[in-house]
Amino acid sequence: MSTTIQPDSLVCGVDDSPHAPDVVAVAAGLSERLGLRLHLVLSAHPNVFLDGGRARDALLRGQQLLDRLGAKDRPEDRVVELGDPAEVLRAVLDEGAALAVVGSRGHGPGAAAFLGSVSNALARTSPCPVIVVPPGAAIEIAAEPTVVCGVDGSRAAAGALERAAALASALGGCLLAVNVRADALTPHATSLMPGKQPFSE
C-alpha cells in the first residue's frame, strides 16, 4: 500500500461513477467533524494481472481521478491499487481504520466502478463501522444530527447500538433506536414509537 492507515483514520472507497464526489464530500465532512484523517481508496482496475504498460496506465488514471476528487494536495492520504474493489478496500480497513464511507452503487463507465456488492460485502465483513451513502443523500451534516439505529434484540444489534451512540455523541447529535415487530400490523399488536432523546454517556 502507498500509505499507512492509523486508528484515527476515516477511509473512503472511491470509484469513477457520477456519485463519487458526493461520497467524498460526506466522508470529508465526517472526517472534519470527528477529527479523523481522511484517506481515499480506489481500485484502478479489477484485474491484478495487467501487463506492465496497461497497469501503469490504469494506476495513472486512478491517481488523476483522485486529483479531481480533491486529493491532489494530499498524495500521502490515498491508495490506488489494482484488484477487486472490495478486496482492495478491505485490505486497507484491516490496517485499523476507525470508520469507512462508501457509495451504495457505482455506474461509471470504467472498470473501477464500485458495485452494490462492494458496499454489501463491507457491511457484513468490515472490521470497523461502515457508512453507505446512497445517491441523492444530503451531503451536509446537520449541526445536531440524528443517528438512527435499527435494533432487534440480537448481540449484533447491541454492538451496532453502542457504535451508533458513540457516533451520535461525537457529532453532538441524538440517537434514535428503532425496533419493528413482525406482528406490528395485526389487530392486537401494540406498538411503541420511541421518542428522540439526546445521547449521553
Side-chain angles (χ1 to χ4, degrees):
M1 296 294 178
S2 59
T3 189
T4 300
I5 305 301
Q6 300 296 333
D8 61 350
S9 298
L10 184 154
V11 172
C12 178
V14 179
D15 62 16
D16 60 353
S17 71
H19 181 43
D22 292 343
V23 176
V24 173
V26 171
L30 281 171
S31 67
E32 182 177 356
R33 290 280 294 272
L34 298 173
L36 299 174
R37 184 167 180 170
L38 177 62
H39 292 269
L40 302 183
V41 178
L42 170 72
S43 167
H45 196 285
N47 183 3
V48 296
F49 300 108
L50 291 179
D51 60 34
R54 294 175 61 198
R56 285 192 297 272
D57 289 345
L59 293 172
L60 177 59
R61 288 193 298 271
Q63 296 284 358
Q64 292 171 341
L65 173 60
L66 293 191
D67 286 347
R68 295 194 298 272
L69 290 173
K72 186 173 184 179
D73 297 329
R74 304 188 309 275
E76 73 281 5
D77 292 340
R78 57 188 184 180
V79 176
V80 179
E81 299 284 347
L82 301 177
D84 176 81
E87 294 179 2
V88 170
L89 190 51
R90 175 58 194 265
V92 175
L93 295 178
D94 282 342
E95 295 183 34
L99 188 67
V101 175
V102 295
S104 61
R105 65 179 185 270
H107 293 295
F114 273 82
L115 302 178
S117 59
V118 175
S119 56
N120 291 339
L122 290 174
R124 293 192 304 269
T125 65
S126 172
C128 68
V130 178
I131 293 177
V132 180
V133 182
I139 297 175
E140 296 296 330
I141 303 170
E144 297 180 356
T146 297
V147 176
V148 179
C149 181
V151 295
D152 60 6
S154 66
R155 180 177 299 180
L161 186 61
E162 179 182 352
R163 287 162 177 78
L167 179 60
S169 178
L171 292 172
C174 300
L175 173 66
L176 177 62
V178 178
N179 174 259
V180 179
R181 286 174 45 177
D183 61 350
L185 299 180
T186 61
H188 302 291
T190 58
S191 62
L192 176 64
M193 293 295 293
K196 184 170 66 175
Q197 298 293 334
F199 169 73
S200 59
E201 295 181 333

